[in-house]
């Protein structure tokens, strides 16, 4: 489960970063940057919940 979580997190962030460099439109880059920040915050929250669930 952890490997799947970290693998999907890495693939999501990598695809968004690659998309930011491949698009020439500034609006698309800003949209992808916002998605990247949103996904990072979601994954950080999920990681926090997973770590707290393992402590119990």
């Amino acid at each position: 489960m952890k490997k799947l979580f970290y693998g999907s997190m890495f693939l999501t962030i990598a695809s968004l970063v690659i998309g930011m460099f491949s698009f020439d439109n500034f609006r698309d880059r800003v949209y992808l940057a916002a998605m990247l920040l949103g996904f990072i915050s979601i994954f950080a929250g999920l990681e926090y919940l997973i770590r707290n669930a393992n402590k119990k």
Side-chain angles (χ1 to χ4, degrees):
M1 181 70 183
K2 277 187 177 182
K3 289 183 181 181
L4 178 66
F5 172 71
Y6 288 121
S8 64
M9 182 179 71
F10 175 75
L11 289 176
T12 302
I13 292 173
S15 63
L16 287 172
V17 168
I18 291 170
M20 285 173 62
F21 288 115
S22 67
F23 284 121
D24 292 331
N25 192 355
F26 179 72
R27 186 179 63 188
D28 290 339
R29 287 185 180 178
V30 171
Y31 176 67
L32 285 173
M35 280 180 55
L36 180 65
L37 290 175
F39 278 120
I40 288 174
S41 64
I42 289 169
F43 284 129
L46 287 174
E47 181 185 6
Y48 176 76
L49 290 175
I50 288 171
R51 286 188 185 194
N52 282 345
N54 287 338
K55 288 182 180 178
K56 292 181 180 180

